[in-house]
Amino acid sequence: MSAVAEIPERLVTKPSFLITQLAVHARRIVSDGFAEAGARGYHYRILAALDEFGPASQIDLGRRGGVDRSDVVAAVNELTAQGYVERTPDPDDRRRNVVSLTKAGARQLRRMDQVLDAVQDNLLAPLDSDERATLTALLTRLLAHSRDLPDGPQQ
């Protein structure tokens, strides 16, 4: 018997319930995978933003990665201590720091990419590549819509 068969039909017919349950599972397996690599999800978000957009303020990193300001500070402190990022005073505003990706940080990001790719394969195992692409496109649309709403998630 399927685990979903043990859930009331009222719930399994609601996408919000299914998304929430799957998000909890996804968060756990991503967290476990990153922990094995000595990292956390916030680390990945920050390293990915630096890799794609280049040096940035901590505020920009939080916005781009969907990370709360206080969590950005803690994560950047950890990444700095590990040698994955460098923090230097912003030449335009000495009250602010600019965070840059180091070569070691780029290597760590590649390791984390491999971990996350394996997690994606595990999570999405029942779906073929076309279904995965469709799911990603649909989730992207829903997220964009939720951010356009007045009460949508704020970064």
Side-chain angles (χ1 to χ4, degrees):
M1 182 182 296
S2 164
V4 175
E6 294 293 314
I7 300 171
E9 184 177 349
R10 276 190 168 95
L11 297 177
V12 297
T13 59
K14 304 294 186 236
S16 58
F17 173 80
L18 297 171
I19 290 168
T20 301
Q21 295 303 300
L22 191 56
V24 168
H25 173 67
R27 183 178 201 124
R28 184 182 49 78
I29 63 175
V30 167
S31 180
D32 290 350
F34 282 159
E36 289 179 23
R40 298 181 324 148
Y42 288 160
H43 295 167
Y44 184 79
R45 294 177 190 190
I46 289 169
L47 294 176
L50 289 170
D51 184 61
E52 186 166 334
F53 299 109
S57 70
Q58 293 176 172
I59 290 171
D60 287 340
L61 289 173
R63 185 177 43 77
R64 288 182 176 138
V67 180
D68 185 78
R69 274 190 212 188
S70 62
D71 293 325
V72 170
V73 172
V76 168
N77 287 342
E78 292 167 357
L79 292 168
T80 300
Q82 295 168 325
Y84 297 147
V85 302
E86 292 177 337
R87 190 181 322 176
T88 56
D90 184 332
D92 297 328
D93 183 350
R94 304 297 263 173
R95 297 169 295 168
R96 182 168 73 176
N97 287 314
V98 172
V99 181
S100 303
L101 185 66
T102 64
K103 288 182 182 179
R107 285 191 301 274
Q108 175 68 348
L109 178 59
R110 286 192 297 277
R111 283 190 292 274
M112 294 177 78
D113 279 334
Q114 291 173 344
V115 167
L116 199 51
D117 289 345
V119 168
Q120 301 306 302
D121 286 342
N122 175 323
L123 180 67
L124 303 174
L127 306 178
D128 66 30
S129 62
D130 288 341
E131 290 170 323
R132 290 177 184 200
T134 299
L135 177 62
T136 301
L138 292 170
L139 291 172
T140 300
R141 268 179 52 201
L142 289 171
L143 181 59
H145 173 72
S146 74
R147 290 185 175 189
D148 289 339
L149 296 175
D151 61 346
Q154 303 298 311
Q155 262 46 243

